[in-house]
Amino acid sequence: MSMDYKAYFHNHREAHLKELGELLSIPSISALSEHKADVGKAAEWIAEALRLAGMESVEIHPTDGHPVVYAEHLHAPGKPTVLVYGHYDVQPVDPLELWETPPFEPSIREGKLYARGATDDKGQVFMHIKAVEAILKQEKELPVNIKFCIEGEEEVTSPNLPSFLKANKEKLAADAVLISDTALLEPGKPAICIGLRGLCSLEVTVKTANTDLHSGTYGGGVPNSLHALVSLLSSLHDEHGRVAVDGFYEGVHELTAAMREEFAKQQFNEGKLKADLGLDTLYGEEDYSFVERTGARPTLELNGVYGGFQGEGSKTVIPKEAHAKITCRLVGDQDPQDMLDKIERHLRNHLQPGAKLKVEQLEKARAFSCDSTNPMLQKAADAYEKVYGTRALFTLDGGSIPIVEQLSFVLSAPAVMMGFGLPDENLHAPNEHFNLENFDKGLLTIVEYLKSL
């Protein structure tokens, strides 16, 4: 890259960080209705930033929830069109007392910018706006056609974006969807995610008697909802960590030698992970490494189990009902609805006599994957190499960003997931932060990528 951009971003760094601080000060928490106005304010801020950057046709589209911000700059005939996707909404901040500085008062400490949304995803969206602005200011034109689609509901699973996508398929048409909402493997080691696990979730309630009962008077003579639930949940896995639900692994692709080689290139340190987490051992399906289990294998996890007396001291009660929250991460061609139905069937077949079962099926999202040989992805790996000195590895991530699969499917375009966060930046937790080294390098990498197309 010419020195122009290094100098440009160096000279504008203070102003850019001040602007980003304004955006990070807006408490745009999409999950909490009392912040609806703040989410709208963040949409206005993004729209204005896009206008100032030189983008055209900037629009704030209302939805049944929070608005979508759209912008375009289409003056490169015959050149590819890139759609930048991101989100301006953020996670709730509790527990507030664990934040070292207030979540919506950005502060820089030891080269890190602390604020809710710093890495997920305001900081990363902001970089795309500033990269486009830099090219337009320096060169008066863009090397490709660019569109932006920035939403305000990603943290609540994007309920209104699929219908927006379908209704605006032509408007959003692109040759690639560019997303920065993921992370490097570790400092200086860039990664491009080419697969995300899908998701399905359910809540389970087990009921027995019509009231809580005294465990002296009734104990040993009536069914206990907690016993029934614990026995039911323990039937979901075998002793080797495999999910024991009939047909659960249908649609799961076995790992090829090439895929295992790609995982091995990450040189993931399982010993360090155990030490960091205070664990004696890792756990999961036998014959798979940690990165294989979390990137390419499906799971069934208990996220919450509760029922009966939970106060201080003892209360000799047989509870009338007990509850569990379950989520699955899905891979390959696993169908979320099919998985939910299979799990519900398993639960009904393994329920203790005398207990009644209620299952509420909740979220559903398919797994996403794309072909790393696509030139749009190869050029992204090259762009990282130019700036970081290390070519990006292609990875499969364990998390789910349901809308990525939708974007790629509806627009028939590869998703290029160029993340600039780091895995330990506390996204979704107190003291979320963004390493400014990756803010600086990320701006250059995005410029390099767009110019390479």
Side-chain angles (χ1 to χ4, degrees):
M1 168 167 314
S2 64
M3 288 304 289
D4 299 352
Y5 286 96
K6 274 190 180 167
Y8 176 90
F9 288 123
H10 176 76
N11 295 338
H12 290 79
R13 189 175 196 260
E14 210 169 302
H16 285 168
L17 289 175
K18 188 168 175 285
E19 278 180 62
L20 177 54
E22 287 173 22
L23 176 60
L24 292 170
S25 302
I26 305 169
S28 50
I29 304 168
S30 52
L32 302 177
S33 54
E34 65 262 34
H35 285 287
K36 189 167 174 63
D38 294 314
V39 181
K41 191 177 163 193
E44 296 277 358
W45 195 99
I46 292 283
E48 184 60 16
L50 286 163
R51 273 186 211 106
L52 292 171
M55 294 297 290
E56 299 168 351
S57 308
V58 181
E59 301 157 358
I60 297 176
H61 286 267
T63 70
D64 288 344
H66 301 300
V68 175
V69 183
Y70 174 82
E72 63 186 31
H73 194 282
L74 309 177
H75 299 289
K79 303 284 172 65
T81 299
V82 175
L83 173 73
V84 176
Y85 163 80
H87 63 95
Y88 61 82
D89 64 320
V90 298
Q91 282 276 324
V93 296
D94 49 303
L96 194 56
E97 68 277 5
L98 295 183
W99 286 80
E100 285 168 30
T101 47
F104 297 108
E105 292 175 25
S107 73
I108 295 174
R109 303 194 290 282
E110 294 169 9
K112 298 170 183 178
L113 172 60
Y114 285 81
R116 173 57 91 226
T119 188
D120 180 25
D121 183 38
K122 286 178 178 174
Q124 300 204 55
V125 164
F126 180 80
M127 286 158 61
H128 285 277
I129 299 173
K130 291 296 146 189
V132 166
E133 180 179 85
I135 299 173
L136 280 171
K137 282 204 166 145
Q138 300 247 96
E139 306 188 29
K140 309 296 179 235
E141 61 178 10
L142 293 177
V144 290
N145 300 294
I146 299 247
K147 300 174 179 181
F148 278 80
C149 172
I150 312 296
E151 68 155 321
E153 298 187 318
E154 194 274 345
E155 299 295 6
V156 289
T157 70
S158 309
N160 293 294
L161 198 61
S163 53
F164 176 82
L165 283 180
K166 290 189 183 96
N168 295 279
K169 198 172 155 181
E170 294 309 311
K171 185 199 271 284
L172 298 169
D175 298 296
V177 182
L178 181 55
I179 303 169
S180 295
D181 196 10
T182 50
L184 284 75
L185 285 169
E186 57 186 64
K189 209 167 171 185
I192 295 170
C193 171
I194 54 163
L196 292 160
R197 293 194 289 188
L199 179 76
C200 66
S201 68
L202 60 156
E203 288 192 19
V204 177
T205 302
V206 169
K207 294 187 176 181
T208 46
N210 57 11
T211 181
D212 286 354
L213 298 167
H214 187 291
S215 71
T217 311
Y218 293 93
V222 296
N224 178 322
S225 65
L226 276 172
H227 292 199
L229 180 67
V230 169
S231 139
L232 192 55
L233 298 178
S234 70
S235 75
L236 288 167
H237 293 86
D238 69 15
E239 64 276 20
H240 304 295
R242 270 180 75 84
V243 178
V245 172
D246 200 29
F248 184 80
Y249 291 91
E250 282 169 21
V252 176
H253 307 306
E254 280 309 314
L255 284 176
T256 62
M259 285 168 78
R260 298 199 102 151
E261 203 178 308
E262 201 64 27
F263 276 118
K265 280 185 200 165
Q266 294 183 31
Q267 299 175 314
F268 187 82
N269 187 336
E270 294 192 359
K272 183 180 182 302
L273 178 70
K274 285 191 284 195
D276 289 348
L277 299 180
L279 291 169
D280 299 325
T281 181
L282 299 178
Y283 175 81
E285 282 184 282
E286 290 178 346
D287 305 320
Y288 293 97
S289 67
F290 174 80
V291 284
E292 289 170 347
R293 286 173 187 162
T294 55
R297 299 296 295 168
T299 66
L300 186 155
E301 297 284 354
L302 307 179
N303 308 120
V305 179
Y306 52 100
F309 177 65
Q310 293 173 52
E312 193 181 339
S314 168
K315 183 183 181 190
T316 51
V317 65
I318 297 174
K320 66 172 185 157
E321 63 182 69
H323 310 268
K325 293 176 185 284
I326 298 172
T327 51
C328 298
R329 300 288 174 166
L330 308 176
V331 300
D333 298 319
Q334 284 180 304
D335 179 304
Q337 185 59 59
D338 181 47
M339 288 303 117
L340 287 170
D341 293 341
K342 283 171 174 163
I343 295 162
E344 181 165 345
R345 196 174 310 128
H346 175 98
L347 293 170
R348 297 201 181 280
N349 291 342
H350 289 77
L351 189 64
Q352 277 187 5
K356 296 178 278 297
L357 181 70
K358 181 181 167 221
V359 175
E360 189 184 354
Q361 299 187 1
L362 300 167
E363 301 150 294
K364 294 192 285 275
R366 294 191 80 98
F368 159 77
S369 65
C370 63
D371 179 4
S372 63
T373 63
N374 185 298
M376 290 288 191
L377 287 127
Q378 288 296 324
K379 283 178 184 286
D382 295 338
Y384 276 112
E385 186 169 21
K386 289 250 174 70
V387 176
Y388 282 82
T390 306
R391 198 167 193 269
L393 285 175
F394 293 106
T395 62
L396 298 173
D397 281 15
S400 307
I401 311 176
I403 203 60
V404 172
E405 190 269 339
Q406 285 276 319
L407 280 160
S408 187
F409 176 74
V410 173
L411 303 177
S412 305
V416 183
M417 301 185 67
M418 293 181 80
F420 298 100
L422 281 172
D424 62 356
E425 289 180 331
N426 289 20
L427 58 166
H428 295 209
N431 303 311
E432 178 181 343
H433 57 275
F434 190 24
N435 282 266
L436 292 178
E437 180 194 3
N438 291 318
F439 175 78
D440 298 331
K441 287 184 172 172
L443 286 162
L444 293 171
T445 307
I446 294 166
V447 170
E448 183 65 52
Y449 179 57
L450 294 176
K451 285 172 74 69
S452 78
L453 295 179

